[in-house]
Amino acid sequence: MDHNGPAMPAAATRRRVVTVLATVCALFGAAFAAGIGVARPASATTVPPPPSGWTTVFSDAFSGTAGSPVSSANWKYDTGPGSSFGTGEIETMTNSTSNVFLDGSGHLVIKAIKSGTSWTSGRIQTPTANVGAPAGGELEVTASIEQPNPASGLGYWPAFWMLGPGSWPSTGEIDILEDVNALSERSGTFHCGVDPGGPCNETNGIGSGLGACGGCQTAFHTYTVIVNRTNTSAESITWFLDGTQFFQVNENQVPVATWQAAIDHNFSIIFDLAMGGGFPNGVCGCTSPSSATTSGAAMTVAYVAAYQKAAGGGGGNTVTVTSPGNQAGTVGTAVSLQVHASDSASGQTLSYSATGLPAGLSINSSTGLISGTPTTAATSSVTVKAADGTGASGSAAFSWTISPSGGGGGKLCTTTATASISADCFTASQGTISVTSTTDASPSGVDGNQAAQLSNGEYLEYGNVNFGTTGSTQFDARVASGAAAGVSGLVEVVLDNPANSAVGSFAVGNTGGWSTWKTIPANITKVTGTHNVYLKLVSGAGGNPPFVSLHYFTFPVS
């Protein structure tokens, strides 16, 4: 997928070749199918077997002698200048075994090499669109990967992704792993619809944003996506790192016809290691790679596999999960919810799993009891699944709203940038965030809660805030401060990754007390499209005393 920093112009996705190559792309696509329990145990170079009721539809353990090319039955090389891929990449992709080779120990190696001022690297793709999720079934695509670990990594862009056939982005793209600039991070993205704009906010797509991936440059980790079409009116795509979900896109987020065009077919699988381009440049706010970027780092792949499960599972059994209905809870208050399921076949033992559970909750795989203590205020789309020993399974979907502890009543949240966004609607945070009630008047669409007495180093993340195509150059925030004399700080607006540069900020000091509210405006670099918005708190005061409370904020139309 394509990521651009706040000041970068929108660039074509790295997945799309230029228009004259569109017909070539059509040879590759189609839709994956498999949805298994994610991360099954296996050695670093062994393809995990499918569970009962599933079928392996594609795999490669990359066995072969050291220095040999990849299997021509499984892969083809995408060669040529990076500029032909439409994202500003500066490398030339080759079929040389200097850039793409087997290491003799069961690994694929894709290495980026600098010669003078030029770079070469590699990109391989399955020759056809060979995997897809059938209607009523599931698909899992997974790989064990060690990310590049250069001493100086500015410009490195490793990727593991799937591409649909035909015209991009309407026929779909699913980015399973992307990282840039050797940050030891990961992101997942879904592309669909039209470019620019459209329901998937192209060229950016609907993405998780970059998130921490500790140790991912020094060891192998599994990167997985599941396309779930079990309920053909409520399909989903879910991303996992080492078996732990970190992102999900649901069918109801885009028009039905758009989803079907992007998902209801096969895909090809692609591995590549790009250098430079819109994503790494946007994150660093610079032009990459630099003269200091280290040559010779590599993305190493131990195995890749795709598993498919047909509609209804195996054996003709029917597993029925009873929906518990939509749930609500509060941060810090323990939860106990029993999920009930039945099987048409006698003597079967059911195992339970769930995706999208609120942070702090888990499901007992043997009993179906969901328990734990919620840690984050948010609304989650939860899917609970039960499967028997024959592979038959059933699922139920519901929403689960976790409200902040304390506070002034129910939470009101929007992801429209031009509307007032309640401070307590953050989807993630850094620091110990206290959500309490406020006596400040609440405009329409805003609740009576505040993020109280925030300090240096803390931040609040608001996911998928839509600035639209018109965008905004203004940021207004409703704040209060009872900071001590001489204590002040900045409220910074940062997009997509808290490590990115701010697109704007304002300074705030004592407003007359923690209950004295003022609206403070600030200019920002123009922002369009959909982004994860971070409000970062920066202060130079010793001891990090609190300097601001936040009730709500908005990005008025420019």
Side-chain angles (χ1 to χ4, degrees), residues 333 401 491:
T333 301
T401 299
V491 178

Side-chain angles (χ1 to χ4, degrees), residues 95-179:
N95 59 4
S96 168
T97 50
S98 296
N99 295 118
V100 184
F101 58 92
L102 305 180
D103 70 354
S105 298
H107 303 106
L108 161 70
V109 180
I110 302 181
K111 181 180 291 187
I113 301 173
K114 184 179 182 181
S115 177
T117 59
S118 300
W119 287 83
T120 58
S121 190
R123 169 168 161 159
I124 61 172
Q125 178 172 9
T126 52
T128 61
N130 58 337
V131 291
E138 298 178 77
L139 165 77
E140 178 181 321
V141 180
T142 187
S144 176
I145 300 172
E146 183 178 76
Q147 293 190 30
N149 190 28
S152 177
L154 192 67
Y156 273 80
W157 188 356
F160 165 40
W161 48 288
M162 307 190 295
L163 183 66
S167 177
W168 186 93
S170 63
T171 51
E173 175 187 330
I174 300 173
D175 302 324
I176 306 172
L177 160 68
E178 290 182 291
D179 187 18

Side-chain angles (χ1 to χ4, degrees), residues 116-379:
T117 59
S118 300
W119 287 83
T120 58
S121 190
R123 169 168 161 159
I124 61 172
Q125 178 172 9
T126 52
T128 61
N130 58 337
V131 291
E138 298 178 77
L139 165 77
E140 178 181 321
V141 180
T142 187
S144 176
I145 300 172
E146 183 178 76
Q147 293 190 30
N149 190 28
S152 177
L154 192 67
Y156 273 80
W157 188 356
F160 165 40
W161 48 288
M162 307 190 295
L163 183 66
S167 177
W168 186 93
S170 63
T171 51
E173 175 187 330
I174 300 173
D175 302 324
I176 306 172
L177 160 68
E178 290 182 291
D179 187 18
V180 293
N181 302 334
L183 295 174
S184 197
E185 296 182 326
R186 54 88 193 115
S187 66
T189 309
F190 172 54
H191 293 275
C192 72
V194 297
D195 177 37
C200 274
N201 184 40
E202 301 302 345
T203 54
N204 290 320
I206 301 174
S208 66
L210 288 166
C213 193
C216 287
Q217 293 174 213
T218 55
F220 287 91
H221 293 261
T222 55
Y223 302 88
T224 305
V225 73
I226 291 178
V227 180
N228 187 335
R229 301 183 63 200
T230 304
N231 181 344
T232 55
S233 62
E235 299 175 356
S236 64
I237 309 167
T238 308
W239 284 256
F240 301 85
L241 171 63
D242 293 331
T244 299
Q245 178 184 333
F246 68 86
F247 187 54
Q248 182 168 300
V249 175
N250 298 309
E251 181 180 11
N252 62 10
Q253 292 179 238
V254 301
V256 172
T258 300
W259 180 271
Q260 292 175 344
I263 295 299
D264 294 1
H265 52 70
N266 278 358
F267 292 79
S268 55
I269 301 174
I270 303 173
F271 290 101
D272 74 272
L273 177 56
M275 295 299 300
F279 192 0
N281 291 352
V283 170
C284 72
C286 64
T287 300
S288 68
S290 72
S291 59
T293 300
T294 305
S295 173
M299 175 171 69
T300 306
V301 185
Y303 64 80
V304 60
Y307 309 94
Q308 187 184 67
K309 183 177 182 181
N317 301 342
T318 300
V319 175
T320 302
V321 179
T322 302
S323 174
N326 294 337
Q327 300 292 308
T330 304
V331 170
T333 301
V335 163
S336 180
L337 176 66
Q338 180 63 57
V339 174
H340 298 279
S342 60
D343 197 322
S344 62
S346 60
Q348 292 293 322
T349 299
L350 294 175
S351 61
Y352 296 84
S353 60
T355 60
L357 285 174
L361 303 187
S362 62
I363 188 169
N364 185 302
S365 61
S366 299
T367 66
L369 178 67
I370 297 174
S371 60
T373 301
T375 59
T376 303
T379 297

Side-chain angles (χ1 to χ4, degrees), residues 485-521:
V487 175
S488 63
L490 296 177
V491 178
E492 295 185 339
V493 180
V494 178
L495 302 182
D496 299 323
N497 188 302
N500 289 345
S501 299
V503 297
S505 65
F506 66 81
V508 61
N510 193 302
T511 60
W514 293 113
S515 298
T516 303
W517 294 90
K518 294 184 178 180
T519 300
I520 300 182

